[in-house]
Amino acid sequence: MDFNPGDVVKLKSGGPVMTVEQLGKHSVTQEDTVWCTWFEKIGNKQELHREHFNPVTLEKWQRPSGTFAIRRG
């Protein structure tokens, strides 16, 4: 797998940006699995979600360049 805990990923088909929490074999299928967490705004609250994914469905996410640029000097 090309992922590590703490990596920021997204489903290739779209959806929220997620953080890789754990990697391993699924206990039932024995397939490579990536466990992810993310937050979703529900009303005025941020709800934590957790789900597992097949690694072929994920890609590493990179913050678009220029977002949060800090100027010095």
Side-chain angles (χ1 to χ4, degrees):
M1 278 186 265
D2 294 334
F3 303 107
N4 293 300
D7 283 349
V8 179
V9 298
K10 191 169 185 176
L11 284 167
K12 291 178 180 177
S13 60
V17 174
M18 304 177 287
T19 302
V20 174
E21 188 173 48
Q22 179 181 337
L23 306 162
K25 298 281 184 186
H26 192 279
S27 61
V28 175
T29 64
Q30 293 304 307
E31 292 179 351
D32 288 339
T33 303
V34 180
W35 283 266
C36 297
T37 60
W38 69 96
F39 287 92
E40 181 180 359
K41 187 170 183 176
I42 308 287
N44 292 330
K45 293 184 176 185
Q46 292 284 334
E47 239 180 63
L48 175 65
H49 295 272
R50 285 190 166 94
E51 189 57 70
H52 61 276
F53 301 92
N54 186 309
V56 301
T57 66
L58 299 171
E59 60 188 3
K60 287 187 181 177
W61 180 84
Q62 293 186 3
R63 184 180 317 278
S65 61
T67 311
F68 302 112
I70 297 174
R71 257 195 180 159
R72 298 203 169 146

mmCIF file of all heavy atoms in Angstrom, residues 22-66:
data_model
loop_
_atom_site.group_PDB
_atom_site.id
_atom_site.type_symbol
_atom_site.label_atom_id
_atom_site.label_comp_id
_atom_site.label_asym_id
_atom_site.label_seq_id
_atom_site.Cartn_x
_atom_site.Cartn_y
_atom_site.Cartn_z
ATOM 1 N N GLN A 22 -5.417 3.871 10.014
ATOM 2 C CA GLN A 22 -4.812 2.560 10.213
ATOM 3 C C GLN A 22 -4.760 1.826 8.884
ATOM 4 O O GLN A 22 -5.603 2.045 8.010
ATOM 5 C CB GLN A 22 -5.669 1.778 11.216
ATOM 6 C CG GLN A 22 -5.210 0.395 11.520
ATOM 7 C CD GLN A 22 -6.155 -0.287 12.508
ATOM 8 O OE1 GLN A 22 -6.885 0.366 13.267
ATOM 9 N NE2 GLN A 22 -6.156 -1.589 12.502
ATOM 10 N N LEU A 23 -3.796 0.941 8.748
ATOM 11 C CA LEU A 23 -3.659 0.088 7.564
ATOM 12 C C LEU A 23 -3.581 -1.362 8.021
ATOM 13 O O LEU A 23 -3.092 -1.638 9.110
ATOM 14 C CB LEU A 23 -2.368 0.416 6.810
ATOM 15 C CG LEU A 23 -2.171 1.873 6.412
ATOM 16 C CD1 LEU A 23 -0.713 2.123 6.092
ATOM 17 C CD2 LEU A 23 -3.030 2.187 5.216
ATOM 18 N N GLY A 24 -4.046 -2.258 7.182
ATOM 19 C CA GLY A 24 -3.919 -3.671 7.534
ATOM 20 C C GLY A 24 -4.799 -4.537 6.671
ATOM 21 O O GLY A 24 -5.289 -4.121 5.623
ATOM 22 N N LYS A 25 -4.997 -5.757 7.120
ATOM 23 C CA LYS A 25 -5.860 -6.715 6.435
ATOM 24 C C LYS A 25 -7.229 -6.697 7.100
ATOM 25 O O LYS A 25 -7.330 -6.668 8.329
ATOM 26 C CB LYS A 25 -5.282 -8.135 6.528
ATOM 27 C CG LYS A 25 -3.928 -8.307 5.877
ATOM 28 C CD LYS A 25 -4.062 -8.431 4.400
ATOM 29 C CE LYS A 25 -2.685 -8.716 3.786
ATOM 30 N NZ LYS A 25 -2.733 -8.718 2.342
ATOM 31 N N HIS A 26 -8.274 -6.700 6.299
ATOM 32 C CA HIS A 26 -9.637 -6.757 6.832
ATOM 33 C C HIS A 26 -9.820 -8.110 7.510
ATOM 34 O O HIS A 26 -9.422 -9.144 6.968
ATOM 35 C CB HIS A 26 -10.644 -6.567 5.697
ATOM 36 C CG HIS A 26 -12.025 -6.340 6.182
ATOM 37 N ND1 HIS A 26 -12.841 -7.370 6.576
ATOM 38 C CD2 HIS A 26 -12.736 -5.203 6.350
ATOM 39 C CE1 HIS A 26 -14.005 -6.870 6.948
ATOM 40 N NE2 HIS A 26 -13.965 -5.556 6.828
ATOM 41 N N SER A 27 -10.411 -8.126 8.684
ATOM 42 C CA SER A 27 -10.532 -9.368 9.460
ATOM 43 C C SER A 27 -11.394 -10.425 8.784
ATOM 44 O O SER A 27 -11.197 -11.613 9.006
ATOM 45 C CB SER A 27 -11.087 -9.066 10.852
ATOM 46 O OG SER A 27 -12.376 -8.498 10.753
ATOM 47 N N VAL A 28 -12.330 -10.027 7.948
ATOM 48 C CA VAL A 28 -13.217 -10.986 7.281
ATOM 49 C C VAL A 28 -12.684 -11.383 5.912
ATOM 50 O O VAL A 28 -12.569 -12.570 5.594
ATOM 51 C CB VAL A 28 -14.652 -10.409 7.155
ATOM 52 C CG1 VAL A 28 -15.544 -11.350 6.366
ATOM 53 C CG2 VAL A 28 -15.236 -10.126 8.525
ATOM 54 N N THR A 29 -12.322 -10.403 5.093
ATOM 55 C CA THR A 29 -11.936 -10.689 3.702
ATOM 56 C C THR A 29 -10.446 -10.927 3.527
ATOM 57 O O THR A 29 -10.024 -11.431 2.497
ATOM 58 C CB THR A 29 -12.334 -9.509 2.789
ATOM 59 O OG1 THR A 29 -11.580 -8.347 3.184
ATOM 60 C CG2 THR A 29 -13.819 -9.236 2.865
ATOM 61 N N GLN A 30 -9.641 -10.528 4.507
ATOM 62 C CA GLN A 30 -8.176 -10.613 4.444
ATOM 63 C C GLN A 30 -7.584 -9.779 3.307
ATOM 64 O O GLN A 30 -6.465 -9.999 2.886
ATOM 65 C CB GLN A 30 -7.709 -12.075 4.345
ATOM 66 C CG GLN A 30 -7.981 -12.883 5.587
ATOM 67 C CD GLN A 30 -7.364 -12.242 6.835
ATOM 68 O OE1 GLN A 30 -6.177 -11.943 6.879
ATOM 69 N NE2 GLN A 30 -8.196 -11.991 7.838
ATOM 70 N N GLU A 31 -8.353 -8.820 2.799
ATOM 71 C CA GLU A 31 -7.858 -7.921 1.759
ATOM 72 C C GLU A 31 -7.187 -6.712 2.414
ATOM 73 O O GLU A 31 -7.538 -6.321 3.532
ATOM 74 C CB GLU A 31 -9.011 -7.439 0.875
ATOM 75 C CG GLU A 31 -9.616 -8.531 0.039
ATOM 76 C CD GLU A 31 -10.775 -8.028 -0.813
ATOM 77 O OE1 GLU A 31 -11.223 -6.869 -0.644
ATOM 78 O OE2 GLU A 31 -11.239 -8.799 -1.661
ATOM 79 N N ASP A 32 -6.225 -6.088 1.703
ATOM 80 C CA ASP A 32 -5.618 -4.853 2.182
ATOM 81 C C ASP A 32 -6.722 -3.830 2.406
ATOM 82 O O ASP A 32 -7.636 -3.692 1.584
ATOM 83 C CB ASP A 32 -4.622 -4.302 1.158
ATOM 84 C CG ASP A 32 -3.353 -5.119 1.083
ATOM 85 O OD1 ASP A 32 -3.049 -5.853 2.050
ATOM 86 O OD2 ASP A 32 -2.652 -5.025 0.066
ATOM 87 N N THR A 33 -6.634 -3.128 3.523
ATOM 88 C CA THR A 33 -7.685 -2.183 3.904
ATOM 89 C C THR A 33 -7.074 -0.928 4.501
ATOM 90 O O THR A 33 -6.060 -0.990 5.191
ATOM 91 C CB THR A 33 -8.644 -2.840 4.926
ATOM 92 O OG1 THR A 33 -9.173 -4.033 4.349
ATOM 93 C CG2 THR A 33 -9.784 -1.930 5.297
ATOM 94 N N VAL A 34 -7.698 0.211 4.217
ATOM 95 C CA VAL A 34 -7.287 1.494 4.779
ATOM 96 C C VAL A 34 -8.465 2.020 5.601
ATOM 97 O O VAL A 34 -9.554 2.191 5.073
ATOM 98 C CB VAL A 34 -6.926 2.503 3.662
ATOM 99 C CG1 VAL A 34 -6.501 3.823 4.261
ATOM 100 C CG2 VAL A 34 -5.850 1.944 2.742
ATOM 101 N N TRP A 35 -8.229 2.253 6.894
ATOM 102 C CA TRP A 35 -9.250 2.816 7.758
ATOM 103 C C TRP A 35 -9.054 4.320 7.806
ATOM 104 O O TRP A 35 -7.947 4.792 8.060
ATOM 105 C CB TRP A 35 -9.162 2.232 9.165
ATOM 106 C CG TRP A 35 -9.716 0.855 9.276
ATOM 107 C CD1 TRP A 35 -10.977 0.510 9.651
ATOM 108 C CD2 TRP A 35 -9.031 -0.376 9.009
ATOM 109 N NE1 TRP A 35 -11.122 -0.860 9.628
ATOM 110 C CE2 TRP A 35 -9.937 -1.430 9.239
ATOM 111 C CE3 TRP A 35 -7.740 -0.693 8.582
ATOM 112 C CZ2 TRP A 35 -9.592 -2.760 9.058
ATOM 113 C CZ3 TRP A 35 -7.399 -2.030 8.404
ATOM 114 C CH2 TRP A 35 -8.320 -3.036 8.647
ATOM 115 N N CYS A 36 -10.115 5.077 7.554
ATOM 116 C CA CYS A 36 -10.036 6.532 7.462
ATOM 117 C C CYS A 36 -11.020 7.196 8.406
ATOM 118 O O CYS A 36 -12.052 6.615 8.762
ATOM 119 C CB CYS A 36 -10.354 6.990 6.038
ATOM 120 S SG CYS A 36 -9.176 6.404 4.807
ATOM 121 N N THR A 37 -10.704 8.450 8.778
ATOM 122 C CA THR A 37 -11.608 9.285 9.560
ATOM 123 C C THR A 37 -11.766 10.624 8.862
ATOM 124 O O THR A 37 -10.872 11.065 8.134
ATOM 125 C CB THR A 37 -11.075 9.534 10.987
ATOM 126 O OG1 THR A 37 -9.818 10.197 10.896
ATOM 127 C CG2 THR A 37 -10.915 8.253 11.758
ATOM 128 N N TRP A 38 -12.915 11.245 9.078
ATOM 129 C CA TRP A 38 -13.168 12.579 8.540
ATOM 130 C C TRP A 38 -14.305 13.212 9.324
ATOM 131 O O TRP A 38 -15.021 12.540 10.058
ATOM 132 C CB TRP A 38 -13.473 12.557 7.049
ATOM 133 C CG TRP A 38 -14.789 11.933 6.690
ATOM 134 C CD1 TRP A 38 -15.965 12.578 6.467
ATOM 135 C CD2 TRP A 38 -15.075 10.540 6.520
ATOM 136 N NE1 TRP A 38 -16.969 11.683 6.168
ATOM 137 C CE2 TRP A 38 -16.438 10.414 6.187
ATOM 138 C CE3 TRP A 38 -14.318 9.376 6.618
ATOM 139 C CZ2 TRP A 38 -17.049 9.182 5.963
ATOM 140 C CZ3 TRP A 38 -14.927 8.155 6.388
ATOM 141 C CH2 TRP A 38 -16.275 8.072 6.060
ATOM 142 N N PHE A 39 -14.428 14.513 9.193
ATOM 143 C CA PHE A 39 -15.505 15.252 9.851
ATOM 144 C C PHE A 39 -16.489 15.756 8.805
ATOM 145 O O PHE A 39 -16.094 16.114 7.697
ATOM 146 C CB PHE A 39 -14.951 16.442 10.638
ATOM 147 C CG PHE A 39 -14.237 16.038 11.890
ATOM 148 C CD1 PHE A 39 -12.878 15.823 11.886
ATOM 149 C CD2 PHE A 39 -14.938 15.862 13.067
ATOM 150 C CE1 PHE A 39 -12.205 15.445 13.044
ATOM 151 C CE2 PHE A 39 -14.288 15.482 14.232
ATOM 152 C CZ PHE A 39 -12.917 15.275 14.212
ATOM 153 N N GLU A 40 -17.753 15.766 9.185
ATOM 154 C CA GLU A 40 -18.811 16.288 8.320
ATOM 155 C C GLU A 40 -19.658 17.245 9.149
ATOM 156 O O GLU A 40 -20.038 16.915 10.275
ATOM 157 C CB GLU A 40 -19.673 15.141 7.795
ATOM 158 C CG GLU A 40 -20.776 15.579 6.889
ATOM 159 C CD GLU A 40 -21.609 14.407 6.386
ATOM 160 O OE1 GLU A 40 -21.314 13.249 6.726
ATOM 161 O OE2 GLU A 40 -22.564 14.669 5.655
ATOM 162 N N LYS A 41 -19.922 18.415 8.585
ATOM 163 C CA LYS A 41 -20.740 19.388 9.302
ATOM 164 C C LYS A 41 -22.208 18.997 9.195
ATOM 165 O O LYS A 41 -22.754 18.879 8.109
ATOM 166 C CB LYS A 41 -20.517 20.793 8.745
ATOM 167 C CG LYS A 41 -21.205 21.843 9.577
ATOM 168 C CD LYS A 41 -20.793 23.232 9.174
ATOM 169 C CE LYS A 41 -21.474 24.216 10.098
ATOM 170 N NZ LYS A 41 -21.065 25.568 9.860
ATOM 171 N N ILE A 42 -22.826 18.774 10.345
ATOM 172 C CA ILE A 42 -24.245 18.445 10.438
ATOM 173 C C ILE A 42 -24.875 19.527 11.310
ATOM 174 O O ILE A 42 -24.657 19.554 12.519
ATOM 175 C CB ILE A 42 -24.476 17.055 11.079
ATOM 176 C CG1 ILE A 42 -23.661 15.971 10.388
ATOM 177 C CG2 ILE A 42 -25.958 16.728 11.127
ATOM 178 C CD1 ILE A 42 -24.151 15.565 9.034
ATOM 179 N N GLY A 43 -25.622 20.442 10.690
ATOM 180 C CA GLY A 43 -26.170 21.570 11.437
ATOM 181 C C GLY A 43 -25.038 22.440 11.937
ATOM 182 O O GLY A 43 -24.200 22.886 11.169
ATOM 183 N N ASN A 44 -24.975 22.653 13.257
ATOM 184 C CA ASN A 44 -23.905 23.457 13.853
ATOM 185 C C ASN A 44 -22.778 22.602 14.422
ATOM 186 O O ASN A 44 -21.889 23.121 15.078
ATOM 187 C CB ASN A 44 -24.466 24.339 14.974
ATOM 188 C CG ASN A 44 -25.385 25.406 14.421
ATOM 189 O OD1 ASN A 44 -25.199 25.856 13.294
ATOM 190 N ND2 ASN A 44 -26.366 25.804 15.208
ATOM 191 N N LYS A 45 -22.827 21.297 14.209
ATOM 192 C CA LYS A 45 -21.837 20.392 14.791
ATOM 193 C C LYS A 45 -20.961 19.768 13.715
ATOM 194 O O LYS A 45 -21.369 19.617 12.567
ATOM 195 C CB LYS A 45 -22.529 19.267 15.559
ATOM 196 C CG LYS A 45 -23.246 19.708 16.784
ATOM 197 C CD LYS A 45 -23.798 18.512 17.513
ATOM 198 C CE LYS A 45 -24.449 18.921 18.812
ATOM 199 N NZ LYS A 45 -24.887 17.756 19.578
ATOM 200 N N GLN A 46 -19.759 19.376 14.110
ATOM 201 C CA GLN A 46 -18.864 18.595 13.266
ATOM 202 C C GLN A 46 -18.961 17.147 13.752
ATOM 203 O O GLN A 46 -18.639 16.857 14.900
ATOM 204 C CB GLN A 46 -17.416 19.082 13.395
ATOM 205 C CG GLN A 46 -17.190 20.446 12.815
ATOM 206 C CD GLN A 46 -17.136 20.411 11.291
ATOM 207 O OE1 GLN A 46 -16.802 19.408 10.680
ATOM 208 N NE2 GLN A 46 -17.460 21.521 10.681
ATOM 209 N N GLU A 47 -19.416 16.241 12.888
ATOM 210 C CA GLU A 47 -19.568 14.840 13.258
ATOM 211 C C GLU A 47 -18.403 14.026 12.732
ATOM 212 O O GLU A 47 -18.050 14.123 11.558
ATOM 213 C CB GLU A 47 -20.872 14.297 12.658
ATOM 214 C CG GLU A 47 -21.807 13.780 13.694
ATOM 215 C CD GLU A 47 -23.081 13.242 13.075
ATOM 216 O OE1 GLU A 47 -23.030 12.267 12.312
ATOM 217 O OE2 GLU A 47 -24.120 13.829 13.374
ATOM 218 N N LEU A 48 -17.818 13.209 13.606
ATOM 219 C CA LEU A 48 -16.723 12.333 13.234
ATOM 220 C C LEU A 48 -17.257 11.086 12.547
ATOM 221 O O LEU A 48 -18.215 10.473 13.018
ATOM 222 C CB LEU A 48 -15.921 11.933 14.478
ATOM 223 C CG LEU A 48 -14.803 10.929 14.265
ATOM 224 C CD1 LEU A 48 -13.699 11.509 13.383
ATOM 225 C CD2 LEU A 48 -14.240 10.475 15.602
ATOM 226 N N HIS A 49 -16.635 10.711 11.430
ATOM 227 C CA HIS A 49 -16.996 9.493 10.714
ATOM 228 C C HIS A 49 -15.767 8.616 10.574
ATOM 229 O O HIS A 49 -14.647 9.122 10.441
ATOM 230 C CB HIS A 49 -17.535 9.825 9.314
ATOM 231 C CG HIS A 49 -18.819 10.577 9.346
ATOM 232 N ND1 HIS A 49 -20.042 9.956 9.397
ATOM 233 C CD2 HIS A 49 -19.061 11.909 9.341
ATOM 234 C CE1 HIS A 49 -20.987 10.868 9.417
ATOM 235 N NE2 HIS A 49 -20.417 12.062 9.382
ATOM 236 N N ARG A 50 -15.979 7.314 10.582
ATOM 237 C CA ARG A 50 -14.910 6.340 10.363
ATOM 238 C C ARG A 50 -15.425 5.280 9.406
ATOM 239 O O ARG A 50 -16.556 4.812 9.528
ATOM 240 C CB ARG A 50 -14.523 5.652 11.669
ATOM 241 C CG ARG A 50 -13.707 6.493 12.590
ATOM 242 C CD ARG A 50 -13.165 5.643 13.738
ATOM 243 N NE ARG A 50 -12.130 6.358 14.443
ATOM 244 C CZ ARG A 50 -12.331 7.088 15.528
ATOM 245 N NH1 ARG A 50 -13.543 7.185 16.032
ATOM 246 N NH2 ARG A 50 -11.332 7.715 16.096
ATOM 247 N N GLU A 51 -14.556 4.898 8.457
ATOM 248 C CA GLU A 51 -14.931 3.849 7.497
ATOM 249 C C GLU A 51 -13.653 3.235 6.951
ATOM 250 O O GLU A 51 -12.582 3.831 7.020
ATOM 251 C CB GLU A 51 -15.771 4.449 6.371
ATOM 252 C CG GLU A 51 -16.400 3.436 5.445
ATOM 253 C CD GLU A 51 -17.278 2.439 6.181
ATOM 254 O OE1 GLU A 51 -18.357 2.814 6.669
ATOM 255 O OE2 GLU A 51 -16.851 1.266 6.272
ATOM 256 N N HIS A 52 -13.773 2.030 6.414
ATOM 257 C CA HIS A 52 -12.618 1.389 5.793
ATOM 258 C C HIS A 52 -12.832 1.298 4.286
ATOM 259 O O HIS A 52 -13.968 1.237 3.814
ATOM 260 C CB HIS A 52 -12.365 0.002 6.391
ATOM 261 C CG HIS A 52 -13.503 -0.945 6.204
ATOM 262 N ND1 HIS A 52 -14.584 -0.988 7.050
ATOM 263 C CD2 HIS A 52 -13.728 -1.880 5.260
ATOM 264 C CE1 HIS A 52 -15.430 -1.921 6.644
ATOM 265 N NE2 HIS A 52 -14.935 -2.474 5.551
ATOM 266 N N PHE A 53 -11.714 1.323 3.548
ATOM 267 C CA PHE A 53 -11.753 1.354 2.092
ATOM 268 C C PHE A 53 -10.676 0.443 1.508
ATOM 269 O O PHE A 53 -9.624 0.245 2.118
ATOM 270 C CB PHE A 53 -11.497 2.784 1.571
ATOM 271 C CG PHE A 53 -12.479 3.785 2.070
ATOM 272 C CD1 PHE A 53 -12.230 4.512 3.227
ATOM 273 C CD2 PHE A 53 -13.670 4.005 1.401
ATOM 274 C CE1 PHE A 53 -13.135 5.446 3.708
ATOM 275 C CE2 PHE A 53 -14.590 4.932 1.870
ATOM 276 C CZ PHE A 53 -14.315 5.650 3.019
ATOM 277 N N ASN A 54 -10.935 -0.055 0.318
ATOM 278 C CA ASN A 54 -9.920 -0.759 -0.451
ATOM 279 C C ASN A 54 -8.936 0.299 -0.946
ATOM 280 O O ASN A 54 -9.355 1.335 -1.468
ATOM 281 C CB ASN A 54 -10.584 -1.477 -1.626
ATOM 282 C CG ASN A 54 -9.617 -2.341 -2.384
ATOM 283 O OD1 ASN A 54 -8.549 -1.900 -2.777
ATOM 284 N ND2 ASN A 54 -9.999 -3.583 -2.597
ATOM 285 N N PRO A 55 -7.632 0.072 -0.816
ATOM 286 C CA PRO A 55 -6.678 1.115 -1.200
ATOM 287 C C PRO A 55 -6.743 1.535 -2.669
ATOM 288 O O PRO A 55 -6.375 2.660 -2.994
ATOM 289 C CB PRO A 55 -5.310 0.506 -0.864
ATOM 290 C CG PRO A 55 -5.545 -0.917 -0.580
ATOM 291 C CD PRO A 55 -6.982 -1.096 -0.264
ATOM 292 N N VAL A 56 -7.227 0.689 -3.550
ATOM 293 C CA VAL A 56 -7.297 1.080 -4.968
ATOM 294 C C VAL A 56 -8.335 2.164 -5.208
ATOM 295 O O VAL A 56 -8.324 2.809 -6.252
ATOM 296 C CB VAL A 56 -7.559 -0.128 -5.914
ATOM 297 C CG1 VAL A 56 -6.468 -1.170 -5.784
ATOM 298 C CG2 VAL A 56 -8.916 -0.735 -5.667
ATOM 299 N N THR A 57 -9.221 2.404 -4.233
ATOM 300 C CA THR A 57 -10.255 3.434 -4.399
ATOM 301 C C THR A 57 -9.803 4.798 -3.905
ATOM 302 O O THR A 57 -10.522 5.775 -4.057
ATOM 303 C CB THR A 57 -11.542 3.036 -3.656
ATOM 304 O OG1 THR A 57 -11.282 3.016 -2.242
ATOM 305 C CG2 THR A 57 -12.054 1.679 -4.110
ATOM 306 N N LEU A 58 -8.595 4.877 -3.312
ATOM 307 C CA LEU A 58 -8.117 6.108 -2.691
ATOM 308 C C LEU A 58 -6.939 6.706 -3.441
ATOM 309 O O LEU A 58 -6.185 5.996 -4.100
ATOM 310 C CB LEU A 58 -7.675 5.833 -1.248
ATOM 311 C CG LEU A 58 -8.738 5.317 -0.296
ATOM 312 C CD1 LEU A 58 -8.087 4.898 1.020
ATOM 313 C CD2 LEU A 58 -9.817 6.347 -0.055
ATOM 314 N N GLU A 59 -6.788 8.028 -3.282
ATOM 315 C CA GLU A 59 -5.602 8.717 -3.790
ATOM 316 C C GLU A 59 -5.172 9.731 -2.751
ATOM 317 O O GLU A 59 -5.996 10.241 -1.985
ATOM 318 C CB GLU A 59 -5.876 9.407 -5.127
ATOM 319 C CG GLU A 59 -6.961 10.455 -5.075
ATOM 320 C CD GLU A 59 -7.348 10.972 -6.450
ATOM 321 O OE1 GLU A 59 -6.828 10.482 -7.454
ATOM 322 O OE2 GLU A 59 -8.197 11.879 -6.497
ATOM 323 N N LYS A 60 -3.859 9.989 -2.680
ATOM 324 C CA LYS A 60 -3.375 11.003 -1.751
ATOM 325 C C LYS A 60 -3.889 12.358 -2.198
ATOM 326 O O LYS A 60 -3.962 12.644 -3.380
ATOM 327 C CB LYS A 60 -1.855 10.995 -1.695
ATOM 328 C CG LYS A 60 -1.315 9.797 -0.943
ATOM 329 C CD LYS A 60 0.166 9.892 -0.754
ATOM 330 C CE LYS A 60 0.668 8.668 -0.017
ATOM 331 N NZ LYS A 60 2.124 8.681 0.133
ATOM 332 N N TRP A 61 -4.243 13.174 -1.225
ATOM 333 C CA TRP A 61 -4.773 14.509 -1.497
ATOM 334 C C TRP A 61 -3.713 15.521 -1.148
ATOM 335 O O TRP A 61 -3.034 15.394 -0.129
ATOM 336 C CB TRP A 61 -6.023 14.751 -0.657
ATOM 337 C CG TRP A 61 -6.649 16.082 -0.869
ATOM 338 C CD1 TRP A 61 -7.519 16.421 -1.856
ATOM 339 C CD2 TRP A 61 -6.482 17.260 -0.076
ATOM 340 N NE1 TRP A 61 -7.910 17.731 -1.721
ATOM 341 C CE2 TRP A 61 -7.269 18.268 -0.638
ATOM 342 C CE3 TRP A 61 -5.737 17.552 1.050
ATOM 343 C CZ2 TRP A 61 -7.348 19.543 -0.106
ATOM 344 C CZ3 TRP A 61 -5.806 18.827 1.581
ATOM 345 C CH2 TRP A 61 -6.612 19.804 0.997
ATOM 346 N N GLN A 62 -3.564 16.521 -1.993
ATOM 347 C CA GLN A 62 -2.638 17.609 -1.705
ATOM 348 C C GLN A 62 -3.405 18.919 -1.721
ATOM 349 O O GLN A 62 -4.212 19.152 -2.619
ATOM 350 C CB GLN A 62 -1.521 17.651 -2.736
ATOM 351 C CG GLN A 62 -0.612 16.446 -2.655
ATOM 352 C CD GLN A 62 0.577 16.587 -3.586
ATOM 353 O OE1 GLN A 62 0.744 17.594 -4.248
ATOM 354 N NE2 GLN A 62 1.395 15.559 -3.630
ATOM 355 N N ARG A 63 -3.111 19.743 -0.748
ATOM 356 C CA ARG A 63 -3.749 21.056 -0.664
ATOM 357 C C ARG A 63 -3.427 21.829 -1.939
ATOM 358 O O ARG A 63 -2.283 21.835 -2.375
ATOM 359 C CB ARG A 63 -3.211 21.798 0.552
ATOM 360 C CG ARG A 63 -3.855 23.124 0.801
ATOM 361 C CD ARG A 63 -3.272 23.816 2.026
ATOM 362 N NE ARG A 63 -3.054 22.955 3.168
ATOM 363 C CZ ARG A 63 -3.995 22.601 4.060
ATOM 364 N NH1 ARG A 63 -5.222 23.023 3.900
ATOM 365 N NH2 ARG A 63 -3.699 21.829 5.070
ATOM 366 N N PRO A 64 -4.415 22.446 -2.555
ATOM 367 C CA PRO A 64 -4.148 23.241 -3.761
ATOM 368 C C PRO A 64 -3.099 24.309 -3.464
ATOM 369 O O PRO A 64 -3.116 24.918 -2.403
ATOM 370 C CB PRO A 64 -5.498 23.884 -4.088
ATOM 371 C CG PRO A 64 -6.505 23.022 -3.405
ATOM 372 C CD PRO A 64 -5.821 22.453 -2.195
ATOM 373 N N SER A 65 -2.189 24.507 -4.393
ATOM 374 C CA SER A 65 -1.125 25.487 -4.160
ATOM 375 C C SER A 65 -1.723 26.891 -4.031
ATOM 376 O O SER A 65 -2.712 27.221 -4.670
ATOM 377 C CB SER A 65 -0.106 25.454 -5.304
ATOM 378 O OG SER A 65 -0.738 25.787 -6.518
ATOM 379 N N GLY A 66 -1.124 27.674 -3.174
ATOM 380 C CA GLY A 66 -1.597 29.032 -2.962
ATOM 381 C C GLY A 66 -2.602 29.164 -1.835
ATOM 382 O O GLY A 66 -2.862 30.251 -1.359
#
